[in-house]
Amino acid sequence: MSFLSETLTRVKPSPTIAVSTLAAELKAAGKDVIGLGAGEPDFNTPDNICQAAKAAIDAGKTKYTAPDGIPELKQAICDKFLRDNGLSYTPKQVSVGTGGKQILYNALMATLNPGDEVVIPAPYWVSYPDMVLLAGGEPVVAEASADNAYKLTADQLEAAITPKTKWFIFNSPSNPTGAGYTHDELKALTDVLMRHPHVWIMSDDMYEHLVYDDFKFVTPAEVEPALYDRTLTCNGVSKAYAMTGWRIGYAAGPEALIGAMRKIQSQSTSNPCSVSQWASVEALNGPQDYLAENNAVFKRRRDLVVDMLNAAEGITCPTPEGAFYVYPSISGCMGKTTPAGKKIETDEDFATALLEEKGVAVVFGGAFGLSPNFRVSYATSDENLVKACTRIQEFCASLS
């Protein structure tokens, strides 16, 4: 009899963390490796946010807080939702967790029973299916095609919903594709959800502020107010405010659901870091001008990477609307052989050979539920991106 739980056999470690860890280990061993795996801005946390954290420490705000967030942060979150999304919430409808991941996990743990289904569009963030499995549910993957810019259609969503469906997880702009849904595209999905009142919506809006060109972000409860009472709108400070290590995520939704999530959190981690909470108050309430400045840098990097990858033999790379990822197809590389004699039969083979032979770390598409592709995070310097994309071009050209 195994000492470990059967639940653990249902899940696998995060492939994105595995790639970043392997790249770091190879670098530490003296290898010339460029890591494009981490979904983490390379900017420092803005100074006003850091100063707020220091002030909190100096003021002794280092004790336990309420399990799911201080009143000041909950109010700042309410103000943010009203200001940015036109959504009105009270602090009782808000939950603050240790990163966006805990918010999603708490909601699934608080609501899923064995046999409950959760519809997840693919390509998906690697953690969605495994969190569903850990919570005892069944992930139902609905594949979005490259022909539709990796966005799920209304017909595909309709086909995936069954009487057992409890949640639909929605992520725009998307990790891993960067695809963003327009108002009309999202309205087509919310129209489907209006016909299925037993399905709840978990909207992961973590990349809300990372959008480019003329794209305008919208969230489901904003597009269809009638879904307000069965939508959990999730967000966090990690990506837009360059606060990945501060570990603050948050969500707003119906009071009964928020209360259930609070119960889970009170018996697991209890409160998020008190100092990080005070820093997040400043992030949400303070100046927002650097968001546009950072986005200009990300847009330049996006355009650089898309151009260079589309110049690589066998690669097709669409231009995404947001986030800091691209998700190129490598169908033109399948079946070929590397100079080291390795056959490229899967996108994992491609990513492994690219790392071993060219020192570029990317995440293979199979980890995100749609192949043959790989994900590039362009949240690194222009210099690194040019070097990495040049190596990818050389690698593709060397395949025979």
Side-chain angles (χ1 to χ4, degrees):
M1 180 176 169
S2 171
F3 172 72
L4 301 176
S5 76
E6 288 183 12
T7 302
L8 201 62
T9 66
R10 292 161 62 86
V11 302
K12 57 191 180 298
S14 167
T16 51
I17 293 174
V19 167
S20 299
T21 301
L22 178 57
E25 288 172 354
L26 290 171
K27 272 186 186 176
K31 307 258 187 193
D32 177 19
V33 172
I34 303 170
L36 302 180
E40 180 170 55
D42 58 325
F43 308 124
N44 290 329
T45 303
D47 187 60
N48 64 303
I49 298 172
C50 295
Q51 292 303 323
K54 293 174 185 175
I57 293 171
D58 291 341
K61 295 176 178 177
T62 56
K63 310 293 186 186
Y64 291 133
T65 75
D68 63 346
I70 57 175
E72 292 84 353
L73 180 51
K74 289 190 173 189
Q75 187 59 55
I77 290 164
C78 292
D79 294 344
K80 171 260 175 290
F81 277 126
L82 189 60
R83 177 180 71 235
D84 294 344
N85 313 113
L87 295 173
S88 180
Y89 293 105
T90 67
K92 288 182 179 178
Q93 293 176 277
V94 173
S95 179
V96 181
T98 305
K101 187 177 282 190
Q102 185 180 28
I103 288 293
L104 305 177
Y105 182 70
N106 284 351
L108 294 169
M109 285 295 294
T111 57
L112 291 181
N113 294 309
D116 286 345
E117 295 176 353
V118 178
V119 175
I120 304 171
Y124 47 69
W125 180 44
V126 294
S127 293
Y128 293 146
D130 287 297
M131 286 195 287
V132 170
L133 290 167
L134 274 173
E138 299 297 332
V140 174
V141 175
E143 285 194 7
S145 72
D147 294 340
N148 198 44
Y150 301 118
K151 292 185 243 189
L152 199 68
T153 67
D155 287 345
Q156 288 171 317
L157 175 57
E158 184 78 60
I161 292 173
T162 76
K164 294 181 178 180
T165 306
K166 184 162 272 188
W167 285 100
F168 168 55
I169 297 183
F170 178 74
N171 177 217
S172 169
S174 157
N175 175 5
T177 65
Y181 288 71
T182 66
H183 183 283
D184 289 349
E185 288 167 339
L186 182 48
K187 182 66 166 66
L189 298 184
T190 59
D191 285 350
V192 172
L193 294 163
M194 286 297 294
R195 295 195 291 272
H196 298 279
H198 68 292
V199 179
W200 284 56
I201 300 92
M202 184 179 292
S203 185
D204 182 352
D205 298 353
M206 188 62 76
Y207 297 92
E208 169 184 8
H209 293 300
L210 295 164
V211 296
Y212 315 114
D213 305 316
D214 298 321
F215 181 80
K216 185 180 185 309
F217 173 84
V218 284
T219 193
E222 175 187 11
V223 168
E224 180 47 81
L227 291 175
Y228 175 91
D229 289 332
R230 52 187 171 107
T231 299
L232 184 70
T233 304
C234 309
N235 212 313
V237 297
S238 297
K239 311 297 184 179
Y241 300 98
M243 294 176 68
T244 50
W246 298 77
R247 306 311 299 134
I248 295 291
Y250 57 83
E255 268 190 56
L257 173 59
I258 296 298
M261 292 166 62
R262 182 185 309 117
K263 185 186 289 187
I264 297 280
Q265 191 158 312
S266 70
Q267 296 292 9
S268 54
T269 62
S270 196
N271 68 275
C273 170
S274 62
V275 174
S276 294
Q277 290 188 64
W278 285 105
S280 299
V281 172
E282 175 62 22
L284 296 176
N285 288 346
Q288 308 288 305
D289 49 335
Y290 49 78
L291 295 177
E293 295 168 11
N294 290 355
N295 277 13
V297 175
F298 280 137
K299 180 185 182 301
R300 184 185 71 237
R301 292 173 176 176
R302 178 201 67 174
D303 293 344
L304 182 159
V305 169
V306 168
D307 287 348
M308 290 192 73
L309 290 180
N310 276 321
E313 195 175 327
I315 289 182
T316 305
C317 185
T319 303
E321 290 84 3
F324 37 65
Y325 310 108
V326 293
Y327 198 66
S329 165
I330 51 170
S331 56
C333 301
M334 291 297 101
K336 295 186 176 180
T337 304
T338 75
K342 296 203 172 175
K343 188 88 175 281
I344 306 294
E345 294 179 340
T346 66
D347 49 30
E348 186 171 7
D349 293 339
F350 180 96
T352 301
L354 179 64
L355 179 57
E356 290 174 350
E357 299 184 28
K358 284 294 183 180
V360 177
V362 300
V363 187
F364 63 96
F368 305 103
L370 194 73
S371 298
N373 296 75
F374 65 92
R375 189 192 76 173
V376 164
S377 168
Y378 52 84
T380 187
S381 69
D382 292 42
E383 179 187 3
N384 274 345
L385 292 172
V386 170
K387 277 169 45 178
C389 289
T390 300
R391 292 183 190 182
I392 293 171
Q393 289 175 347
E394 292 168 352
F395 179 73
C396 291
S398 74
L399 300 177
S400 57

Coordinates of all heavy atoms in Angstrom, one line a residue, residues 114-173:
P114 N -17.4 14.8 -6.6 CA -17.0 13.8 -7.5 C -18.0 13.7 -8.7 O -19.2 13.7 -8.5 CB -17.0 12.5 -6.7 CG -16.7 12.9 -5.3 CD -17.4 14.3 -5.2
G115 N -17.4 13.7 -9.9 CA -18.3 13.6 -11.1 C -18.6 15.0 -11.7 O -19.0 15.1 -12.9
D116 N -18.4 16.1 -10.9 CA -18.7 17.4 -11.5 C -17.7 17.7 -12.6 O -16.5 17.4 -12.4 CB -18.6 18.5 -10.4 CG -19.8 18.5 -9.5 OD1 -20.8 17.9 -9.8 OD2 -19.7 19.1 -8.4
E117 N -18.2 18.3 -13.7 CA -17.3 18.6 -14.8 C -17.0 20.1 -14.9 O -17.8 21.0 -14.5 CB -18.0 18.2 -16.1 CG -18.1 16.7 -16.2 CD -18.9 16.2 -17.5 OE1 -19.4 17.1 -18.2 OE2 -19.0 15.0 -17.7
V118 N -15.8 20.4 -15.3 CA -15.3 21.8 -15.5 C -14.8 21.9 -17.0 O -13.9 21.2 -17.4 CB -14.2 22.2 -14.5 CG1 -13.7 23.6 -14.8 CG2 -14.7 22.0 -13.1
V119 N -15.5 22.8 -17.7 CA -15.1 23.0 -19.1 C -13.9 24.0 -19.2 O -13.9 25.1 -18.6 CB -16.3 23.6 -19.9 CG1 -15.8 23.9 -21.4 CG2 -17.4 22.6 -20.0
I120 N -12.8 23.5 -19.8 CA -11.6 24.3 -19.9 C -11.2 24.4 -21.4 O -10.9 23.4 -22.0 CB -10.5 23.6 -19.1 CG1 -10.9 23.4 -17.7 CG2 -9.2 24.4 -19.2 CD1 -9.9 22.5 -16.9
P121 N -11.2 25.6 -21.9 CA -10.7 25.8 -23.3 C -9.2 25.5 -23.4 O -8.4 25.8 -22.5 CB -11.0 27.2 -23.7 CG -12.0 27.7 -22.6 CD -11.6 26.9 -21.4
A122 N -8.8 24.8 -24.5 CA -7.4 24.5 -24.8 C -7.0 25.3 -26.0 O -7.8 25.4 -26.9 CB -7.1 23.0 -25.0
P123 N -5.8 25.9 -26.0 CA -4.7 25.8 -25.0 C -5.1 26.4 -23.7 O -5.8 27.5 -23.7 CB -3.6 26.5 -25.7 CG -3.9 26.6 -27.1 CD -5.4 26.7 -27.2
Y124 N -4.7 25.8 -22.6 CA -5.0 26.3 -21.2 C -3.8 26.5 -20.4 O -2.7 25.9 -20.7 CB -6.0 25.3 -20.5 CG -5.5 23.8 -20.6 CD1 -4.4 23.4 -20.0 CD2 -6.2 22.9 -21.4 CE1 -4.0 22.1 -20.0 CE2 -5.9 21.6 -21.5 CZ -4.7 21.2 -20.8 OH -4.3 19.9 -20.9
W125 N -3.9 27.3 -19.4 CA -2.9 27.4 -18.4 C -2.7 26.0 -17.7 O -3.7 25.4 -17.4 CB -3.2 28.4 -17.3 CG -2.2 28.6 -16.2 CD1 -0.9 28.7 -16.4 CD2 -2.5 28.7 -14.8 NE1 -0.3 28.8 -15.1 CE2 -1.2 28.9 -14.2 CE3 -3.7 28.8 -14.1 CZ2 -1.1 29.0 -12.8 CZ3 -3.6 28.9 -12.7 CH2 -2.3 29.1 -12.1
V126 N -1.5 25.6 -17.5 CA -1.2 24.2 -17.2 C -1.9 23.8 -15.9 O -2.2 22.6 -15.7 CB 0.3 24.0 -17.0 CG1 1.0 24.1 -18.4 CG2 1.0 24.9 -16.0
S127 N -2.2 24.7 -15.0 CA -2.7 24.3 -13.6 C -4.2 24.1 -13.6 O -4.7 23.4 -12.7 CB -2.3 25.4 -12.6 OG -0.9 25.4 -12.4
Y128 N -4.9 24.6 -14.6 CA -6.4 24.4 -14.5 C -6.8 23.0 -14.4 O -7.6 22.6 -13.4 CB -7.1 25.1 -15.7 CG -7.0 26.6 -15.9 CD1 -6.9 27.1 -17.1 CD2 -7.0 27.4 -14.8 CE1 -6.8 28.5 -17.3 CE2 -6.9 28.8 -14.9 CZ -6.9 29.3 -16.2 OH -6.8 30.7 -16.4
P129 N -6.5 22.1 -15.3 CA -7.0 20.7 -15.2 C -6.5 20.0 -13.9 O -7.3 19.3 -13.3 CB -6.4 20.0 -16.4 CG -6.0 21.1 -17.4 CD -5.6 22.3 -16.5
D130 N -5.3 20.2 -13.5 CA -4.8 19.5 -12.3 C -5.5 20.0 -11.0 O -5.7 19.3 -10.1 CB -3.3 19.7 -12.2 CG -2.6 18.8 -13.2 OD1 -2.7 17.6 -13.2 OD2 -1.9 19.4 -14.2
M131 N -5.8 21.3 -11.0 CA -6.5 21.8 -9.8 C -7.9 21.2 -9.8 O -8.4 20.9 -8.7 CB -6.6 23.4 -9.8 CG -5.3 24.0 -9.5 SD -5.4 25.8 -9.1 CE -5.7 26.5 -10.7
V132 N -8.6 21.1 -10.9 CA -9.9 20.4 -11.0 C -9.8 19.0 -10.5 O -10.6 18.5 -9.7 CB -10.4 20.5 -12.4 CG1 -11.7 19.6 -12.6 CG2 -10.8 21.9 -12.8
L133 N -8.8 18.3 -10.9 CA -8.6 16.9 -10.5 C -8.3 16.8 -9.0 O -8.9 15.9 -8.3 CB -7.4 16.3 -11.3 CG -7.7 16.0 -12.8 CD1 -6.4 15.7 -13.5 CD2 -8.7 14.9 -12.9
L134 N -7.5 17.7 -8.5 CA -7.2 17.7 -7.0 C -8.5 17.9 -6.2 O -8.6 17.4 -5.1 CB -6.2 18.8 -6.7 CG -4.7 18.4 -6.8 CD1 -3.8 19.7 -6.6 CD2 -4.3 17.4 -5.8
A135 N -9.4 18.8 -6.8 CA -10.6 19.1 -6.1 C -11.7 18.0 -6.3 O -12.8 18.1 -5.8 CB -11.1 20.4 -6.5
G136 N -11.4 16.9 -7.0 CA -12.3 15.8 -7.2 C -13.2 15.9 -8.4 O -14.0 15.1 -8.6
G137 N -13.0 16.9 -9.2 CA -13.8 17.1 -10.4 C -13.2 16.5 -11.7 O -12.1 15.9 -11.6
E138 N -13.8 16.7 -12.8 CA -13.4 16.1 -14.1 C -13.2 17.2 -15.1 O -14.2 17.9 -15.4 CB -14.4 15.1 -14.6 CG -14.6 13.9 -13.7 CD -13.3 13.1 -13.5 OE1 -12.4 13.1 -14.4 OE2 -13.2 12.4 -12.4
P139 N -12.0 17.5 -15.5 CA -11.8 18.5 -16.6 C -12.3 18.0 -17.9 O -12.1 16.9 -18.3 CB -10.3 18.7 -16.6 CG -9.7 17.5 -15.9 CD -10.7 16.9 -15.1
V140 N -13.0 18.9 -18.6 CA -13.5 18.6 -19.9 C -12.9 19.7 -20.9 O -13.2 20.9 -20.8 CB -15.1 18.7 -20.0 CG1 -15.6 18.6 -21.5 CG2 -15.7 17.7 -19.1
V141 N -12.0 19.2 -21.7 CA -11.2 20.1 -22.5 C -11.9 20.4 -23.9 O -12.3 19.4 -24.6 CB -9.8 19.5 -22.8 CG1 -9.0 20.4 -23.8 CG2 -9.0 19.4 -21.5
A142 N -12.1 21.6 -24.2 CA -12.7 22.1 -25.4 C -11.6 22.7 -26.3 O -11.1 23.8 -25.9 CB -13.8 23.0 -25.2
E143 N -11.2 22.1 -27.3 CA -10.0 22.6 -28.1 C -10.4 23.8 -29.0 O -11.3 23.7 -29.9 CB -9.4 21.5 -28.9 CG -8.6 20.5 -28.1 CD -7.8 19.6 -29.0 OE1 -7.7 19.8 -30.2 OE2 -7.2 18.6 -28.5
A144 N -9.7 24.9 -28.8 CA -9.8 26.0 -29.7 C -8.8 25.8 -30.8 O -7.6 25.4 -30.5 CB -9.6 27.3 -29.0
S145 N -9.1 26.2 -32.0 CA -8.2 25.9 -33.1 C -7.3 27.2 -33.5 O -7.7 28.3 -33.2 CB -8.9 25.5 -34.4 OG -9.6 26.6 -34.9
A146 N -6.2 26.9 -34.1 CA -5.3 28.0 -34.6 C -6.1 28.8 -35.6 O -5.9 30.0 -35.8 CB -4.0 27.4 -35.2
D147 N -7.0 28.2 -36.4 CA -7.7 28.9 -37.4 C -8.6 30.0 -36.8 O -9.0 30.9 -37.5 CB -8.6 27.9 -38.2 CG -7.8 26.9 -39.0 OD1 -6.6 27.2 -39.3 OD2 -8.3 25.8 -39.3
N148 N -9.0 29.8 -35.6 CA -9.8 30.9 -34.9 C -9.0 31.6 -33.9 O -9.5 32.1 -32.9 CB -11.0 30.2 -34.2 CG -12.1 31.3 -33.9 OD1 -12.4 32.1 -34.7 ND2 -12.6 31.2 -32.7
A149 N -7.6 31.7 -34.1 CA -6.7 32.4 -33.3 C -6.7 31.9 -31.8 O -6.6 32.6 -30.9 CB -7.0 33.9 -33.3
Y150 N -6.9 30.6 -31.7 CA -6.9 29.9 -30.4 C -8.0 30.4 -29.5 O -7.9 30.4 -28.3 CB -5.6 30.0 -29.7 CG -4.4 29.5 -30.5 CD1 -3.4 30.3 -30.9 CD2 -4.4 28.1 -30.8 CE1 -2.3 29.7 -31.7 CE2 -3.4 27.6 -31.6 CZ -2.3 28.4 -32.0 OH -1.3 27.9 -32.7
K151 N -9.2 30.8 -30.1 CA -10.3 31.3 -29.3 C -11.5 30.3 -29.4 O -11.8 29.9 -30.5 CB -10.7 32.7 -29.7 CG -9.7 33.8 -29.3 CD -10.1 35.2 -29.6 CE -9.3 35.8 -30.6 NZ -9.6 37.3 -30.8
L152 N -12.1 30.0 -28.3 CA -13.2 29.1 -28.3 C -14.5 29.7 -29.0 O -14.8 30.9 -28.7 CB -13.6 28.7 -26.9 CG -14.4 27.4 -26.7 CD1 -13.6 26.2 -27.1 CD2 -14.8 27.3 -25.3
T153 N -15.2 28.9 -29.8 CA -16.4 29.4 -30.4 C -17.6 29.1 -29.6 O -17.5 28.2 -28.7 CB -16.6 28.9 -31.8 OG1 -16.8 27.4 -31.7 CG2 -15.4 29.1 -32.7
A154 N -18.7 29.7 -29.8 CA -19.9 29.5 -29.1 C -20.4 28.0 -29.3 O -20.8 27.3 -28.4 CB -21.0 30.4 -29.6
D155 N -20.2 27.5 -30.5 CA -20.6 26.1 -30.8 C -19.8 25.1 -30.0 O -20.2 24.1 -29.6 CB -20.5 25.8 -32.3 CG -21.6 26.5 -33.1 OD1 -22.6 26.9 -32.5 OD2 -21.4 26.6 -34.4
Q156 N -18.5 25.4 -29.9 CA -17.6 24.5 -29.2 C -17.9 24.5 -27.7 O -17.9 23.5 -27.1 CB -16.1 25.0 -29.4 CG -15.6 24.6 -30.8 CD -14.2 25.3 -31.0 OE1 -14.0 26.4 -30.7 NE2 -13.3 24.5 -31.6
L157 N -18.2 25.7 -27.2 CA -18.6 25.7 -25.8 C -20.0 25.0 -25.5 O -20.1 24.2 -24.6 CB -18.8 27.2 -25.3 CG -19.3 27.4 -23.9 CD1 -18.4 26.7 -22.9 CD2 -19.4 28.9 -23.6
E158 N -20.9 25.2 -26.4 CA -22.2 24.5 -26.3 C -22.0 23.0 -26.3 O -22.6 22.3 -25.5 CB -23.1 24.9 -27.5 CG -24.5 24.4 -27.5 CD -25.4 25.1 -26.5 OE1 -25.6 26.3 -26.7 OE2 -25.9 24.4 -25.6
A159 N -21.1 22.5 -27.2 CA -20.9 21.1 -27.3 C -20.3 20.5 -26.1 O -20.4 19.3 -25.8 CB -20.1 20.8 -28.6
A160 N -19.5 21.3 -25.3 CA -18.8 20.8 -24.2 C -19.6 20.7 -22.9 O -19.3 20.0 -22.0 CB -17.5 21.7 -23.9
I161 N -20.7 21.5 -22.9 CA -21.5 21.6 -21.7 C -22.4 20.3 -21.6 O -23.1 20.0 -22.6 CB -22.3 22.9 -21.7 CG1 -21.4 24.1 -21.5 CG2 -23.4 22.9 -20.6 CD1 -22.1 25.4 -21.6
T162 N -22.5 19.7 -20.4 CA -23.4 18.6 -20.1 C -24.2 18.9 -18.8 O -23.9 19.9 -18.1 CB -22.6 17.3 -19.9 OG1 -22.0 17.3 -18.6 CG2 -21.6 17.1 -21.0
P163 N -25.1 18.1 -18.5 CA -25.8 18.3 -17.2 C -24.9 18.3 -16.0 O -25.2 18.8 -14.9 CB -26.8 17.2 -17.1 CG -27.1 16.8 -18.6 CD -25.8 17.0 -19.3
K164 N -23.7 17.7 -16.2 CA -22.7 17.6 -15.1 C -21.8 18.8 -15.0 O -21.0 18.9 -14.0 CB -21.9 16.3 -15.2 CG -22.6 15.0 -15.1 CD -21.7 13.8 -15.3 CE -22.4 12.5 -15.1 NZ -21.4 11.4 -15.3
T165 N -21.9 19.7 -15.9 CA -21.0 20.8 -15.9 C -21.3 21.8 -14.7 O -22.4 22.2 -14.6 CB -21.1 21.6 -17.2 OG1 -20.9 20.8 -18.3 CG2 -20.0 22.8 -17.3
K166 N -20.2 22.1 -13.9 CA -20.4 23.0 -12.8 C -19.8 24.4 -13.1 O -20.3 25.4 -12.8 CB -19.9 22.4 -11.5 CG -20.1 23.3 -10.3 CD -20.0 22.6 -9.0 CE -21.3 22.0 -8.6 NZ -21.2 21.5 -7.2
W167 N -18.6 24.3 -13.7 CA -17.8 25.6 -14.0 C -17.4 25.6 -15.5 O -17.1 24.6 -16.1 CB -16.6 25.6 -13.2 CG -16.7 26.0 -11.7 CD1 -16.7 25.1 -10.7 CD2 -16.8 27.3 -11.1 NE1 -16.8 25.7 -9.5 CE2 -16.9 27.1 -9.7 CE3 -16.9 28.6 -11.6 CZ2 -17.0 28.1 -8.8 CZ3 -17.1 29.6 -10.7 CH2 -17.1 29.4 -9.4
F168 N -17.3 26.8 -16.0 CA -16.6 27.1 -17.2 C -15.4 28.1 -16.8 O -15.7 29.1 -16.3 CB -17.5 27.8 -18.2 CG -16.8 28.4 -19.4 CD1 -15.9 27.6 -20.2 CD2 -17.0 29.7 -19.8 CE1 -15.3 28.2 -21.3 CE2 -16.4 30.3 -20.9 CZ -15.5 29.5 -21.6
I169 N -14.2 27.6 -17.1 CA -13.0 28.5 -16.8 C -12.7 29.3 -18.0 O -12.4 28.7 -19.1 CB -11.8 27.7 -16.3 CG1 -12.2 26.9 -15.0 CG2 -10.6 28.6 -16.1 CD1 -11.0 26.1 -14.4
F170 N -12.6 30.6 -17.9 CA -12.4 31.5 -19.0 C -11.2 32.4 -18.7 O -11.0 32.9 -17.6 CB -13.6 32.4 -19.2 CG -13.5 33.4 -20.3 CD1 -13.5 33.0 -21.6 CD2 -13.3 34.8 -20.0 CE1 -13.3 34.0 -22.7 CE2 -13.1 35.7 -21.0 CZ -13.2 35.3 -22.3
N171 N -10.3 32.5 -19.6 CA -9.0 33.2 -19.4 C -8.7 34.1 -20.7 O -8.4 33.6 -21.7 CB -7.9 32.2 -19.2 CG -6.5 32.9 -19.0 OD1 -5.5 32.3 -19.4 ND2 -6.4 34.0 -18.4
S172 N -8.8 35.4 -20.5 CA -8.5 36.4 -21.6 C -8.0 37.6 -21.0 O -8.5 38.2 -20.1 CB -9.8 36.7 -22.4 OG -9.7 37.7 -23.3
P173 N -6.8 38.1 -21.6 CA -5.9 37.4 -22.5 C -5.4 36.1 -21.9 O -5.3 36.0 -20.7 CB -4.8 38.5 -22.7 CG -5.4 39.8 -22.4 CD -6.4 39.5 -21.3

